Amino acid sequence: MTRRNGNVTIRDVAQLAGVVPSTVSHAINHTAPVSEETRQRVFEAIQKLGYRRNTLASSLRQQMSMTLGLLLANVADPLEAEIAAGVSEVADREGYSVLIGTTSDEAQAEDRQLARLLDRRVDGLIIVSTDSERRLHAYNEIDIPLVLVNRQTPNPLVELPSVEVDNQQAGYLATRHLLDLGHSAIGIITTSLSNERCEGYRRALEEAGLPVRPELIYIASLTETDLMAQGYMAMVALLNHAPLSACFVVDDMRAIGAIEALRDRKLRVPEDVAIVGCGDLSLAALVCPRLTTVGHPKRHLGAQAVHLLLELFNNSLIDQRVILPCELVVRESCGAYLHPGWRPSRSRLRLS
Amino acid sequence: MTRRNGNVTIRDVAQLAGVVPSTVSHAINHTAPVSEETRQRVFEAIQKLGYRRNTLASSLRQQMSMTLGLLLANVADPLEAEIAAGVSEVADREGYSVLIGTTSDEAQAEDRQLARLLDRRVDGLIIVSTDSERRLHAYNEIDIPLVLVNRQTPNPLVELPSVEVDNQQAGYLATRHLLDLGHSAIGIITTSLSNERCEGYRRALEEAGLPVRPELIYIASLTETDLMAQGYMAMVALLNHAPLSACFVVDDMRAIGAIEALRDRKLRVPEDVAIVGCGDLSLAALVCPRLTTVGHPKRHLGAQAVHLLLELFNNSLIDQRVILPCELVVRESCGAYLHPGWRPSRSRLRLS
DNA sequence: CTGTTAGCGCGTTCAT
DNA sequence: ATGAACGCGCTAACAG
C-alpha cells in the first residue's frame, strides 16, 4: 500500500479516470471544486495505479518546497538531538519535511551544507549553536527566512531572529540556589566573562550584597575539546587559587568533570563543595551524586524555532528574538536535602 | 557569498556568458568538455549573478534526487542519534542529502513519514529500529532500495537488507565475562526469550557446562515505557525469585535501573551483585558504579547503512545483511578490577 | 567543442 | 465544472 510508483504520473491517472490532468490536480489539492462523481473516479484511478504525487515537480512549479533545512554541528550531541526532535515534530505537524546538515563545527563543512540546502530550495533555515560572529554576516546575506537556535553570541553586531533560553536567568537561579543554602565563597567555571550565565552569577552575588571575587572565576580552556576534561582541569586550577565551598559550572558535562576532580582530591560533593550545573542533560539525573542543575526546555527550542520560521514566512515577524525560561532542578549535588531550613524560593522547582 | 539567488536561472547565466544553457550545464557538471575560455566566462557570469543551481529541477530531470530518507522513532534517543550522525556524515561525503522522518514509534506517523519521503523521491531509505514483523511486509512493498538498521526482529519472515550488531556475540561476551570472574548464578533481564542477546547468554552458559536456570531469566514488562523503571522492576522480581551473584541486562538503561533496585535493597554493586549492561551509551561511563557493558559501533551502524544503500544503487548487492562486531568495555560494575587473577580473555578490550 | 530541441511531472492560467 | 496550453529550471540526446 505504501509503495512507490514506477513513474505513474498525474497524466496516467487522468487518462484512466477519463479526465484531464488539471482536474486530477484539483481533486487532490482541493484547489477548485470537482464534482463528487469525477472525484470518485479520480481517487479510484489513483488507488488502482498506485499513484504518488511527485513533490519535486510540485515544488518546482509552486516555487516552494515545503522543506526546512536544519543545520547543526553534531546530531549525536544530546542537546542538539533534543532540539532536532522538537524541530522534526512540529515541522511534521505543519506539513514540512526537514533536511539535515551536520557541520562538525567546521566552517568549511558548514559552507558546503549551507550551499546544499539552499540549492535544494529549502523554504527556511534553522541553525543550531553555530553562530560565531564571523559566520553571522554570512547568514545575514542569505535571503531566505532563517532562525538561530541556542545562539552562543549574546550581543552580536548583526541581529537575526533567534530562539534561546534565558541564560542570564539560568546563571542567576543556579547562584541564587547556592546563596540560599548559605554559601558565600561561590566559584564559577565559565567559558568567557561575557557569558550570559556568568552575568547571572554576578547579578545574584551583587543582589546578595556579596563581592564578585575574580579569583573565584575560572575560564575553561577551550583548546581542550573534551568538555569533561575542561571541567576537571578548571576545578583543579580553581582549588589551587582559592578556597570555595560551592561552584556553579556553566554546563553539565563540565560540571561532571569538575566533580571528578573534586573526588580525586578526596573532597566530597556536596558536603565539602556544592556543585550546580546547567542544561539538565538526561544523564544529570544518573551521575553520582545526582546533579542539581538548571534545566532548559530543549525540545521547545526546536519547536519554537519552527513556529518562528512559519511566522517569518507570513511576514508576521512578531518577536525577532524568542527567549525561553529555564528552571532549577534540585537533586543531590548541592546538598539542599541536607538543609532542613532550606525551602524552595522564588523559582519553580521540580524534584526528581 | 553563500546567498541564495532571487531566481536567476541557468538561462540568465547562459545569456550573460553568451552561450546556451546546456553549455553552462556542461561546464558546471563536467558532463562534456568545455573550452577553457567559455568555462571562464560561464563561471564569471555565475559569480556575478549569484547563480545557484536548482537541485529540484535537476532531480526532476535526472530522475534521481541524491537524497536519502532516514526514518527513525526519535532522534533524541542516544542510540538513534549516533546512528543518524553516522548516516549524515557519510551521506554528506558521498554527495547525498538526508531527509529525516521521526515516527514516535507510532505506525500511523510512520506511514505518513514514509509516504512523504517517497513523494519527495528519495533515492533510498534507511529505517532505524522500527521493524516489527507487521511493518516488514509494508517495507517489502516499497520499490526503492532500503536498508534496516539495528533491526529488532532477528529472523523475520521477510528478508530485507540490514545492518546490525552481532547481538548474540554481545550476550555471549557479557556472560562470558561474568563466568570468567567466577560467577555461576548469573541472571538475565531480557526483552524476550528469542532475543539474540539472550541466545548468547545461553550459549556462554552451556559452553561453560552450566545449566540455564529458568528462574534466573526475567522478561521485562514492556508495558512500562520507562526503560529504567523496567530494569528496576525486573531486578526486584529477580531478587525475590532466586539468589544471584551477577546479572546481564540486555541494555544500559535497564541495567542502570537494575542497579538502582539493588542499591535500594542495600546490595552493593559489584561486591554483592555484578552487573553487565549492553550498548555502551555515553552515560555508561558516568554512572556509579561505572557500567561494564558491551559496546556497539553505533556510528558505524549508520555509516555502513549508507554504504550498503550505495551498493544497492549499483545493484552490486554483496552482503544483504551486514553484521558488525561488538566489544566488551570493562569498567566497575562487575568488579573485574577486584580480581587480580582475572585477565582479558579472547575479546578485544578497551579499558576506560 | 557548442547549439537545438524536447520533455522530466506538475500546477496554473484562461477559456469554455 | 472541465479542458488546452504553457512554463517552473534543468539536462539528455542529438546535431552541427
Side-chain angles (χ1 to χ4, degrees), chain A residues 116-145:
Chain A
R116 196 174 284 174
L117 293 175
L118 294 176
D119 286 0
R120 305 227 154 182
R121 296 300 188 267
V122 295
D123 295 330
L125 232 29
I126 295 175
I127 298 176
V128 182
S129 302
T130 61
D131 66 323
S132 65
E133 188 72 61
R134 80 170 178 290
R135 304 239 90 238
L136 284 181
H137 61 262
Y139 298 150
N140 201 35
E141 291 299 306
I142 295 174
D143 64 356
I144 63 170

Side-chain angles (χ1 to χ4, degrees), chain B residues 159-233:
Chain B
E159 264 310 336
L160 287 168
S162 66
V163 180
E164 56 202 298
V165 296
D166 189 338
N167 282 306
Q168 220 205 84
Q169 189 201 20
Y172 177 83
L173 288 178
T175 312
R176 172 77 205 209
H177 180 59
L178 261 9
L179 289 166
D180 286 349
L181 294 174
H183 293 281
S184 59
I186 302 175
I188 180 173
I189 293 174
T190 181
T191 54
S192 94
L193 286 176
S194 62
N195 185 314
E196 295 204 327
R197 294 175 190 172
C198 190
E199 291 270 0
Y201 161 83
R202 284 199 212 92
R203 203 181 88 217
L205 250 35
E206 281 161 11
E207 192 181 287
L210 258 38
V212 177
R213 290 158 52 191
E215 74 272 23
L216 288 180
I217 300 180
Y218 192 86
I219 297 173
S221 149
L222 301 177
T223 54
E224 167 65 61
T225 57
D226 182 321
L227 297 182
M228 270 181 61
Q230 277 187 25
Y232 188 101
M233 287 157 40

